[in-house]
Each structure stands twice: as C-alpha cells, then as structure tokens.
Amino acid sequence: LDHRKGEKVIKTSVDSAASASSGASRADEGSSAPAATRASHKDVKAHALIVTYVVQHRAVLLRSKPSVQGDKLGIVCKGQVLKGYEMEGWLQLTRESSKEAGVIGHRPAWALIDGQEVGLGVLLRPLKPGEKVPKIGAEDSDEEKQQAPSWKAEEIYLSALEFEVAFKTVNIRRRPKVSAKSLGVVKEGERVWGYPKDNWLQTAKKYRQKEPGWIRIDGTDLGHGLLMQCTHLRPTAVKCFAEALQISWQHLPVKSAAYKLEWTAKDTKTVHTAVAKTKANIGKVHGLAANSTYFVRVTAYVLVPGMDENNPKSICATVVSDWAEGHTGAPVDVTEETNMTFDPLAKLRGKCSDCKHCHAFILSKYSYLMRLDQVMCRRCGCTCTSHEVIGEYGKSHAQWSKENAERRRQEEHRRQTGYNKKPGLTPAMQLEMQCRAWQPDGAPAGTSKAKYVIKEVTQARNLYERLGVKPSAAAKDIRNAFRQISLRIH
C-alpha cells in the first residue's frame, strides 16, 4: 500500500471514531455518575477473574461500598472462604458468597483485604494452591452431627427467655459454630425467644425456621461486644440510702440459677462485685458516696439441676443484663449523727456487723406496725438489729453498762439455779411461780405512783412481770395491764 495513502485512511477512521464517541458522550450527558461507576464495575467484572480469599482476622465486616464509611451488612469470621472480584484493595463478593455470609436482599457486599491502614493488619489472605476449600453451607457430616449439642431445654428452663438484638445484624446459624450454615439474620431491635446454651441462643420452636437456629450472644472475642441482650434481667434500684443502694431484679424462668451483682461509678471503668453469688433476687451495694450516680448490672448463671454448684460444668449458660442507673440519697448531717442514732425501742446502736462500712446507726422513716428487724439504717440500708447496742437513750454510757452487766449476771444466775430447784415442775410452771404480780395503784403511802410503776418495770425479770401479770393471764388482762401502766408513765 502507498504509505501516505494508508496513513490518511487510518487518520480518517480515527477521526470518525472520535467524533462518534464524542457525539455519544454528548447524547449521554444527562446520565448520572453512579451509572457510570456501575458500568465501570460491570466492565471490570466482565474482564476480571473470580478470586478466592480466606478470612485471616478473627472477624471482618461486610460493607455496602468499598469504603470504611459504608453501611455494615454482616460479619464473616476467621476461616471462612470468600469469592469475588478484587478491586483497589477491596473484595466484592459474588452473589453466592453474599448469600452464604447472610447478607439481606443479595446487596453488593465489600470486604477490606488489607487493614494495616486502620491498624488491623491483614484481614483476607489468598487461598493457597492445593489448599482444601471447606464447603460452607453444605450438609453436616456424620462427625459434626455427633458433635452437635444433644441437650433438652425443658430439663433446665421453665419457659423461653426473651432477647433483644443489640447489634445491627446477627446471623442465625444451623449449628453453634461461626462457620456453620447461615439460616438468616436478625436486625437490631428485634425480639427473639430461645434457650441460652454456653455462648449461643437456641431459638424456640415457634421461630420461623424449619429447625431451631443458633444465634451468638456475646461477640466480645470477635471485637463486637454484646450481640444479644436479655430483657428478663433488668435491675432496679428499689431503695436509695445515703451510702448504699438496694437493687432488685426478676428471677429467670429456670429451675436453678445463681446471680452476681456488680457496680461501677459514673466516671470510672472499674467494675466492682457487690454480691458474688446468691439465689435471691435482691442485693445491696455498700460503701458508696452520697449524692452520686452509679451503674449496676446482674449476671445470671443458669445451673444444671442435680450437679454440684462448685463444678464449672454445672453452668449451662451465662446471661448478663444491661447497666442500670441508680442515685444515692442525701448525706447524713450533724443533727442525725447526734439525735437519730437510736432504734424505736430507744436503744442506742453503733456500727453494723453486716456491711462493715457503717460506723453508727441512723434511724430512717418507719411505721409502728413494722417489726424491729424491718427498721432500716438510713446510712447503710441494713436492719437496726444488725447494729450492736451501745447504750440507752437518756442514760450515760457508764450507767447503761453497769445496768447491762447486772442484768446479764441475774439472767445467768437465774439460768443456772432458778429453773432447776424443783425438778418435778415444767418450765411453764416454774415461770408461773417466779412471776411476781403487782398493780399500778399499789404504791406505798407517800410514794408517787409514776415512780413506783417505773421502778417495778425496770426491776422486772421477764415480760409478764413487767406488766404485773401471771403467764396464765388472759389476753384481755394483759392488754388492760399495759394500758394502766401506760397511763401512769406517759
């Protein structure tokens, strides 16, 4: 061919092609940028080969676009195999891999290959030549079927427990394994009923699946925190004291369970244990500061009936509640420290023997219908009977100590000699003979009736003698004697 002619022909063809392309671009000026991006992705898919990667990190997030700001679509765990197209440091999963990973609606899912820029290291590694590819989602082998948990929920639980999804999406697995087949997903805020077993929740029979599924409860080891939150355990501050909180929670519908109560301050991350192990559904947190905010939570250990509680294998599952907020009351002022350290019977009480934090009893509001062991200390929340008696209201400590020592000496002497002098009599008959009857109006001449009554009451050896009646007296006579004495000394 003629060189110049050929060059001219080539130039003409190139110009015509360029003009055609420019005309086409002008005709498509109204098309949007995402459409062009999708077209470029399709072109890359058309020419790129499908590559296979294995998850190297303990957990990798699947996102809606090749960016760390993309929406979270799911999680893949270590050892899971992913197939897709490699694009600029990201792996776009195929439709089959997205379905196996539990992505809803077959949306395009992206996984970051190298996470060194975000401080995570290598997330995905290429599949080595000759390396065996596990079949994700295939039928369970005979060995896996034998290893499947064989337990009956009705032997441990009375009814199903309610859980709320705390993560954006959580996979429902066929077996309690992160590499098991995904039966679906649950979204954040949904309620699921089931039976906890170890760190997994077996869905109840009424769940919409052909067979019960398994949902992971705690994903802390995967870097995602708590995935499922139990709604049955909700600690509540029943009573607030100056330096303590009384916490109550609901029992789990199980045959046997132990509970642990923990607390932490508002501005600290240190978690303290208030009650290590209890079967009750109430507990106290002592040693707190007044007018402060604290957070409490309850951990329930579901136990296998019939096994030793000290055996670690007796714990079937561990259920943790959410943190609940509580506020302590006003501090104890000087007036209360001075004038409110006695119980309803006018006994001065000192330090508490239960909590070891309260150095003196402070009387709180009470009703005259309450028993003595129901009256609480406003400082520590313990009963007044748990505080030691150190005196009596209106008497000096030396006088009270002397009278108390004399009273104890008389009781000991009466215990050793009083009931054993006449062996033929029963204790009731001996008490009847020892009780001395007296009348409030039987004061000697020239003696005040009020002083006479007070003297007889203080010198009484038992409750019957304090009222001046015999143990065989009728209830009507006892009430009448109490009324007559009250009228004389009040």
Side-chain angles (χ1 to χ4, degrees), residues 173-225:
R173 303 288 181 180
R174 188 173 184 180
R175 296 281 183 258
K177 295 170 56 179
V178 293
S179 60
K181 178 182 178 180
S182 177
L183 301 177
V185 295
V186 286
K187 299 180 181 179
E188 185 177 2
E190 292 185 3
R191 301 296 179 94
V192 181
W193 285 264
Y195 308 96
K197 178 70 169 66
D198 296 333
N199 196 23
W200 292 82
L201 176 69
Q202 183 186 12
T203 58
K205 296 292 183 179
K206 59 183 178 181
Y207 195 79
R208 296 182 180 178
Q209 298 293 342
K210 296 180 181 179
E211 57 183 358
W214 293 84
I215 306 176
R216 193 176 179 89
I217 298 177
D218 191 358
T220 305
D221 55 341
L222 303 177
H224 303 294

Side-chain angles (χ1 to χ4, degrees), residues 288-308:
L288 306 180
N291 274 342
S292 301
T293 302
Y294 293 90
F295 296 91
V296 295
R297 73 177 179 186
V298 178
T299 302
Y301 300 98
V302 181
L303 305 177
V304 179
M307 293 188 65
D308 186 11

Side-chain angles (χ1 to χ4, degrees), residues 26 68 135 141 149 230 256 282 347 357 377 394 409 454 461:
R26 286 193 299 271
V68 292
K135 296 181 180 180
S141 61
C230 182
S256 179
I282 194 170
K347 301 291 184 181
H357 295 282
C377 173
R409 188 189 64 80
I454 293 175
R461 295 171 294 178

Side-chain angles (χ1 to χ4, degrees), residues 409-429:
R409 188 189 64 80
Q410 292 179 1
E411 290 179 356
E412 183 67 22
H413 177 72
R414 200 163 51 247
R415 187 182 304 110
Q416 293 178 358
T417 61
Y419 295 102
N420 297 325
K421 287 183 177 180
K422 298 181 180 180
L425 301 178
T426 61
M429 297 172 63

Side-chain angles (χ1 to χ4, degrees), residues 130-147:
E131 185 177 355
K132 187 177 180 181
V133 181
K135 296 181 180 180
I136 302 175
E139 294 295 330
D140 297 337
S141 61
D142 295 338
E143 182 180 356
E144 290 180 347
K145 289 181 180 179
Q146 292 178 0
Q147 294 178 355

Side-chain angles (χ1 to χ4, degrees), residues 147-274:
Q147 294 178 355
S150 57
W151 68 297
K152 294 182 180 180
E154 56 271 12
E155 296 180 355
I156 301 175
Y157 296 92
L158 300 177
S159 63
L161 274 65
E162 184 184 25
F163 282 79
E164 182 178 354
V165 182
F167 200 68
K168 188 166 186 180
T169 55
V170 184
N171 285 311
I172 304 174
R173 303 288 181 180
R174 188 173 184 180
R175 296 281 183 258
K177 295 170 56 179
V178 293
S179 60
K181 178 182 178 180
S182 177
L183 301 177
V185 295
V186 286
K187 299 180 181 179
E188 185 177 2
E190 292 185 3
R191 301 296 179 94
V192 181
W193 285 264
Y195 308 96
K197 178 70 169 66
D198 296 333
N199 196 23
W200 292 82
L201 176 69
Q202 183 186 12
T203 58
K205 296 292 183 179
K206 59 183 178 181
Y207 195 79
R208 296 182 180 178
Q209 298 293 342
K210 296 180 181 179
E211 57 183 358
W214 293 84
I215 306 176
R216 193 176 179 89
I217 298 177
D218 191 358
T220 305
D221 55 341
L222 303 177
H224 303 294
L226 199 63
L227 304 178
M228 306 290 292
Q229 186 73 59
C230 182
T231 59
H232 277 85
L233 280 178
R234 289 182 177 177
T236 306
V238 180
K239 293 183 180 179
C240 302
F241 303 94
E243 300 177 4
L245 289 173
Q246 186 173 350
I247 309 299
S248 176
W249 58 89
Q250 184 180 359
H251 277 298
L252 290 181
V254 298
K255 295 184 178 180
S256 179
Y259 303 93
K260 180 175 69 173
L261 179 62
E262 297 174 314
W263 65 275
T264 181
K266 183 178 181 180
D267 300 327
T268 61
K269 296 182 179 180
T270 306
V271 179
H272 306 274
T273 301

Side-chain angles (χ1 to χ4, degrees), residues 434-466:
Q434 290 179 358
C435 287
R436 181 175 54 86
W438 57 276
Q439 295 293 331
D441 296 332
T447 305
S448 174
K449 292 184 178 181
K451 292 183 178 180
Y452 171 74
V453 171
I454 293 175
K455 179 181 177 181
E456 293 292 338
V457 169
T458 54
Q459 292 181 354
R461 295 171 294 178
N462 51 62
L463 297 178
Y464 294 102
E465 193 168 320
R466 184 168 297 177

